[in-house]
Amino acid sequence: MPRPRSAYPAVRLRTAERETAHETTVDVLIAGGGPFGLMLANELGRRGVSVALFDAKPSTAVNPQANATQARTMEHYRRLGFADEVRGLGLPEDFPTDIAYFTRFAKHELARFRLPSAREARERVATMSGSWSAAELPHRVSQKYVEQVLRRHAEALPGVSIDYGWRLTKFAEAAEGVTATVERVDGGTQRRITATYLVGADGARSHVRKRLGIGWTGETGVVRDFFGGRMYAIYLRAPRFYGVVGHPPAWMNVTFNGDRRAFMAAVDGKGEFAFHTQLREGEDPERTSEADAAGLFHAAAGARIDATILSRDTWTAGHALVAERFGRGRVFLGGDAAHLFTPAGGLGYNTAVEDAVNLGWKLAAAVRGIAGPQLLESYELERRPAAVRNTGYARGFAESLGRFVPKPGLEDDGPRGEQLRREAGEYLERHGRAEFDIPGITFGTRYGESPVIAHDGSPAPPDAANSYEPTASPGGRAPHAWLDDGRSLFDTFGLEWTLLRLGPAAPPADGLVAAARRLNIALELVDVASKEVRDLYDAPLALIRPDQVVAWRGSDDARADDVAAVALGHAAR
């Protein structure tokens, strides 16, 4: 994988542009250090933007939290140079990433949807075509490992400062920037931060969103037999689990029975698990002892398996919420501060990463003074519909699993029990394929109404969860291809903008190159002589944004000035 390139000279500042003992001035202040905030710090720092990030937690996540990194997210990690590092974390490289359904973990297996191990994903990716033509395949890894990588790479960037154990207490917006106060969680020491922009990456209970007066839209409080109501989360270690249950290992283990439905993700493949079960009426989490928590696990397992409880907490399933706005003025929202998912399909964390990728290059352009008035406005216009789309898909998966109710006798011996288990297994196998084979969700996000896309009037393929039709119709992910020399097409893209000149007789596009220069657009020229790639893009020229979205395509660059102006938010379409 090539080393990621920077279009700008490094800014040799370790913590900020200007700092005194209690005052700091930066380009961007980020409140929150989860996946969205850390990814945004990486995107900004790579572009020479100074960043101060604060988070009230003592460190990055210590509990597993999200466990599924989608292929599109892995492509972004590849773009920044650390996809291989992430793929090497979590489960052993030969560990199956299957999704398996059981009556109870140590009892009857009902269905299994098989997926490749990390080693198999690396070996297969260059052979995939159609819906799964990608630079990277998905990876199953706990968020606690991913956050460590994101933090380490962000902190290595000049001009990026990351401080855990600090919280944002207040902020005020002015014409030229935002002033804010942060304080240490453990001691009350305060610092005053002046920033050009503030980003609320502070989670579901976002202080920033509440201060802006932005509410939620969508659905919450949904009650289902599963994935709808109070959930009890246990991070546990059970090293004898695989020896007791008698089934092949799986990444995701789901129980289906009448009294203790649960899902449990393997964290390290050696006995650490993230276990989640839905609490029943009368089960009070406040009165649940450590022994009671172990009992919940034993009930789902159908066997008494020795387990050490590492941590436990509660959360609520049944959310499909999107903020009314994704910011106001110089203040922006992203990640869980802007959308809340029930974690079916693993879409929340991945949507947050794409928020950061989208906002990062736009904020950097604004800081450098090259963004038109519509560029930052386009963040909400692009990402809010994407969040509505993705929360809708997650809601559908939760409905499919949560409203499928076990029939009495499912666990019984004899022909009746066998028939019920067969029927349940057929349904769960279909559900597993629908929830976890999702190239359409992964790659199919489109910015159809964006003011910074030069749309050409071509119809977009249907939006479907389980199928994806690669298209260079402007507004979606650039179609991927493996080149004759074995490289991913995406590896030829620049950190910023890329102009693809495709086919054996592509025009030089000198007009577009000149237009980009006039607008200070850092443009990488990439020539690919392949007729197949030219046919894939259905044009000899394509302008690719920093987030690998097609901004424009065409047979010539006669409208070069208009195209460049639209792409940077200077003009209406």
Side-chain angles (χ1 to χ4, degrees), residues 35 61-69 77 86-91 139-150 235 251 265-269 272-274 276 349:
V62 294
N63 292 323
Q65 297 179 280
N67 287 281
T69 300
Y77 294 163
V86 172
R87 197 172 292 280
L89 297 174
L91 302 174
H139 183 51
R140 310 306 181 187
V141 58
S142 166
Q143 180 178 322
K144 72 171 187 173
Y145 298 127
V146 175
E147 286 190 9
Q148 293 169 12
V149 174
L150 293 174
Y235 180 24
W251 158 67
V267 174
D268 65 352
E272 286 192 9
F273 299 94
H276 303 259
Y349 142 64

Side-chain angles (χ1 to χ4, degrees), residues 156-216:
L157 296 169
V160 174
S161 167
I162 295 179
D163 288 289
Y164 285 84
W166 290 75
R167 60 172 164 245
L168 176 74
T169 59
K170 59 184 177 181
F171 66 89
E173 183 185 1
E176 299 301 318
V178 178
T179 58
T181 300
V182 298
E183 68 177 19
R184 287 194 63 87
V185 172
D186 61 0
T189 302
Q190 293 188 343
R191 288 168 59 185
R192 186 174 185 268
I193 312 294
T194 301
T196 309
Y197 298 99
L198 165 65
V199 180
D202 49 345
R205 297 178 176 87
S206 172
H207 170 69
V208 175
R209 187 189 67 249
K210 291 175 182 176
R211 282 287 307 274
L212 293 176
I214 295 174
W216 292 115

Side-chain angles (χ1 to χ4, degrees), residues 478-566:
H480 178 265
W482 290 97
L483 303 179
D484 292 341
D485 61 7
R487 288 181 301 163
S488 162
L489 176 63
F490 287 3
D491 290 344
T492 71
F493 293 179
L495 175 68
E496 297 299 332
W497 294 81
T498 302
L499 177 60
L500 294 177
R501 300 188 293 204
L502 305 173
D510 292 336
L512 193 51
V513 173
R517 187 180 302 114
R518 285 191 290 274
L519 292 178
N520 292 311
I521 295 174
L523 185 66
E524 187 90 7
L525 301 178
V526 175
D527 294 310
V528 180
S530 166
K531 180 181 181 299
E532 289 76 13
V533 177
R534 189 261 179 234
D535 291 344
L536 178 64
Y537 276 72
D538 199 25
L541 298 173
L543 181 64
I544 312 301
R545 303 192 326 186
D547 53 4
Q548 299 180 339
V549 168
V550 179
W552 166 86
R553 68 174 173 180
S555 57
D556 60 57
D557 63 345
R559 297 181 57 247
D561 286 329
D562 290 341
V563 168
V566 167

Side-chain angles (χ1 to χ4, degrees), residues 251-293:
W251 158 67
M252 182 61 69
N253 307 268
V254 184
T255 64
F256 184 70
N257 58 65
D259 67 272
R260 185 51 60 201
R261 296 187 67 171
F263 70 92
M264 185 175 75
V267 174
D268 65 352
K270 302 172 186 177
E272 286 192 9
F273 299 94
F275 173 86
H276 303 259
T277 187
Q278 182 144 332
L279 295 175
R280 295 297 186 181
E281 186 175 350
E283 292 180 329
D284 183 357
E286 299 299 323
R287 298 186 178 185
T288 299
S289 66
E290 190 165 294
D292 295 333

Side-chain angles (χ1 to χ4, degrees), residues 345-374:
L347 303 183
Y349 142 64
N350 294 280
T351 302
V353 169
E354 289 227 64
D355 290 346
V357 173
N358 188 290
L359 182 59
W361 72 267
K362 294 174 180 178
L363 278 176
V367 168
R368 295 180 63 229
I370 67 172
Q374 292 181 308

